[in-house]
Amino acid sequence: MTRTIPAARRRTVLGAALLASAALGVGLLSGCSAGQITQTDTQVAAVPGVSANSTDGLIALRDGAVAYSNEYKPGSVVPIEVRLFNNAKQSVKLTGVTSAAGTVVLVGGAMPAAAAPAPTSAAPSPSSASPSAPRSGSGSPSAPASATKSPSVVAAPAPVGTAKMAVEIPVGGFVALSQSTKTYLAVEKLSGDVLMAGGALADVKFTFTYADGTTTELTLGELPMTVPLSPLPKPSSVVGHEGE
């Protein structure tokens, strides 16, 4: 015998099922949203440059890059830009940077005093020479003294920066070394081949010294070149066809 469910009861059961389904959907959406927020909170924003930490994990380097140029020829200055964070419980100083591409110096910091050129001994002037004997009518004229030129002194080129650095990073703070802050790192004279756009400096090592005298290091296998500040011109979209 088939039992017939009254219409009113069927509507009640259907309404309860719809409410349960809606509640389940809200719960699933809430769970997805919470997971997305957590994931976004832990993501690192995409920025040009390289990021790395020191061997003890307390010093962080962020946005490390070579300043953009179409090319750096051998012997030219190559600016380097970095941000350094101190997560230690004591102050620390950046005390040295080395690279296989050449000597790395600090530009805009305390510059070493340039050595003054050594004084040169000037040739005696004719007026300071010993007086000659009075001329006699029968005496032969004395030969004129040849003019002696003092050697020219070539001034040494001014130093770009100093390899002896002590850039202090406070506890919980950071320093930005870039051309915009007027204090930055640079390879004083690029060695080797031309560094083209999109290239990188190899084997760049940073040395840090803590307040208690201990040291830590941070090594980058490659320090890439950053992207240009303005976009490069687009190629022409006009393509020629034969027979036109």
Side-chain angles (χ1 to χ4, degrees), residues 109-137:
M111 305 293 286
T120 57
S121 57
S125 61
S127 61
S128 63
S130 58
S132 58
R135 294 181 181 180
S136 60

Side-chain angles (χ1 to χ4, degrees), residues 83-242:
R83 290 194 299 163
L84 302 172
F85 295 79
N86 180 12
N87 298 315
K89 295 182 179 180
Q90 57 179 321
S91 62
V92 68
K93 293 180 179 180
L94 173 66
T95 51
V97 184
T98 61
S99 173
T103 302
V104 180
V105 297
L106 178 67
V107 182
M111 305 293 286
T120 57
S121 57
S125 61
S127 61
S128 63
S130 58
S132 58
R135 294 181 181 180
S136 60
S138 61
S140 59
S142 59
S146 60
T148 304
K149 295 182 179 180
S150 59
S152 59
V153 178
V154 179
V160 175
T162 175
K164 295 181 179 180
M165 58 189 74
V167 181
E168 185 170 0
I169 312 171
V171 178
F174 79 100
V175 295
L177 301 177
S178 68
Q179 290 178 298
S180 61
T181 63
K182 309 300 182 182
T183 302
Y184 58 95
L185 301 170
V187 176
E188 189 171 32
K189 293 181 180 179
L190 180 66
S191 61
D193 299 330
V194 177
L195 181 61
M196 302 297 296
L201 297 178
D203 301 327
V204 183
K205 182 171 70 174
F206 299 77
T207 301
F208 303 90
T209 303
Y210 290 107
D212 62 5
T214 59
T215 61
T216 186
E217 294 180 347
L218 189 155
T219 303
L220 301 175
E222 286 189 344
L223 185 62
M225 188 180 298
T226 188
V227 297
L229 296 178
S230 58
L232 297 176
K234 295 182 179 180
S236 173
S237 58
V238 178
V239 179
H241 296 281
E242 295 183 359

